[in-house]
Amino acid sequence: MREIIPQGALVLTIPSSIHSSWLPFFNAQFEQSYIKELFDFITAEQDRGVVVYPPQQLWFKAFEQPLNNIKLTILGQDPYINEGQAMGLSFSVPVGEKIPPSLRNIYKELLSDVAIETPTHGDLSRWAEQESIFLLNASLTVEAGNAGSHLKKGWHRFTLAAIDCINQHNEHCVFLAWGAFAHKCCAKVDETRHCVIKTSHPSPLGAYKIMKTAPAFLGSACFSRVNNYLLSHRQTAINWQVKQ
């Protein structure tokens, strides 16, 4: 285990599985005072009995793959707020957990767009581990049952910096931005070097919604559009199978 200790009370332990290519980014962020304030906030919340998801060892699960290998980023907002669901990867839940409604709609579009048979579980780990997909939530922790509770405490600044890191260091990446919040997160992505594909959010309330600046998620063919872009820039297409 490697430890990075900001100037606050909370000791942040980064598992050795965090890829070394991300460490300069982590070091640069942890030198800034907002990280101290963020960790102090989480420590204080836990000290008063607040349950925080996911477990600390999963906060940075998305950063276990090499920075330079990332070819697609899928943005979520919060970890899941119910016990046992959050696993450090956006939209993903462990095998055995009920598949959340947004993920069910993602599976529905996968079937319609690229003929991927609907999986029986919601674990998207294979996408992260084998397909170089960066499954990033804008907030890496959340109070149980309280969506958005940690977003403005520092995580959003951290994850926007991570998006910018990909934007600056990689070439010809795709950013899947589902919903208005994700659109804003991708606002500074250089679209002369990368591709931002915008749709409405796959949640039940948003999946059929046609936005002023983006189509409805269902029917958007966003997954085939990702592969069309990658292939046009001499990259391998993504195998959207979820099963290990």
Side-chain angles (χ1 to χ4, degrees):
M1 306 291 282
R2 296 192 295 274
E3 291 186 351
I4 295 180
I5 306 175
Q7 296 178 352
L10 181 65
V11 176
L12 179 63
T13 302
I14 301 176
S16 58
S17 57
I18 294 297
H19 196 271
S20 59
S21 59
W22 281 106
L23 289 178
F25 166 77
F26 275 79
N27 285 326
Q29 298 306 308
F30 293 156
E31 290 175 355
Q32 301 182 50
S33 60
Y34 83 92
I35 287 290
K36 171 187 179 300
E37 295 166 1
L38 170 62
F39 298 150
D40 285 351
F41 164 76
I42 296 173
T43 297
E45 290 292 279
Q46 291 178 322
D47 285 347
R48 69 183 186 90
V50 171
V51 176
V52 173
Y53 297 138
Q56 185 176 344
Q57 67 268 24
L58 297 179
W59 291 0
F60 300 109
K61 177 70 176 175
F63 294 86
E64 293 181 2
Q65 64 173 291
L67 168 61
N68 293 338
N69 284 4
I70 293 171
K71 56 187 179 184
L72 169 64
T73 297
I74 298 180
L75 295 166
Q77 184 166 337
D78 280 311
Y80 290 114
I81 61 175
N82 298 318
E83 183 178 3
Q85 290 186 310
M87 57 181 295
L89 301 173
S90 62
F91 296 98
S92 182
V93 294
V95 174
E97 290 294 320
K98 184 178 179 180
I99 300 173
S102 291
L103 186 52
R104 288 195 177 277
N105 281 334
I106 290 170
Y107 286 169
K108 184 181 294 186
E109 183 62 18
L110 280 169
L111 177 62
S112 172
D113 183 17
V114 289
I116 295 297
E117 183 180 353
T118 301
T120 58
H121 64 82
D123 188 346
L124 304 180
S125 295
R126 200 199 73 83
W127 283 5
E129 295 166 1
Q130 298 181 34
E131 299 300 325
S132 300
I133 300 177
F134 192 48
L135 296 167
L136 180 68
N137 280 317
S139 181
L140 301 187
T141 63
V142 69
E143 177 184 340
N146 189 6
S149 50
H150 292 185
L151 180 66
K152 296 181 180 180
K153 301 299 182 179
W155 281 131
H156 196 200
R157 179 172 174 179
F158 179 87
T159 52
L160 284 178
I163 292 170
D164 188 58
C165 185
I166 298 169
N167 179 46
Q168 296 295 329
H169 288 86
N170 294 11
E171 293 287 344
H172 305 309
C173 294
V174 185
F175 295 80
L176 267 182
W178 294 332
F181 176 81
H183 299 177
K184 292 178 182 178
C185 290
C186 292
K188 295 185 179 180
V189 171
D190 183 353
E191 295 190 56
T192 67
R193 296 171 54 210
H194 305 291
C195 176
V196 179
I197 297 175
K198 299 177 181 178
T199 75
S200 67
H201 196 275
S203 68
L205 291 177
Y208 292 97
K209 181 180 179 181
I210 299 174
M211 307 177 71
K212 290 183 179 179
T213 56
F217 173 78
L218 290 174
S220 67
C222 57
F223 300 107
S224 58
R225 290 167 64 192
V226 168
N227 279 345
N228 289 341
Y229 177 85
L230 293 173
L231 290 170
S232 71
H233 290 85
R234 300 181 179 180
Q235 298 199 62
T236 57
I238 288 170
N239 175 358
W240 296 105
Q241 293 288 344
V242 170
K243 294 180 181 179
Q244 297 288 351

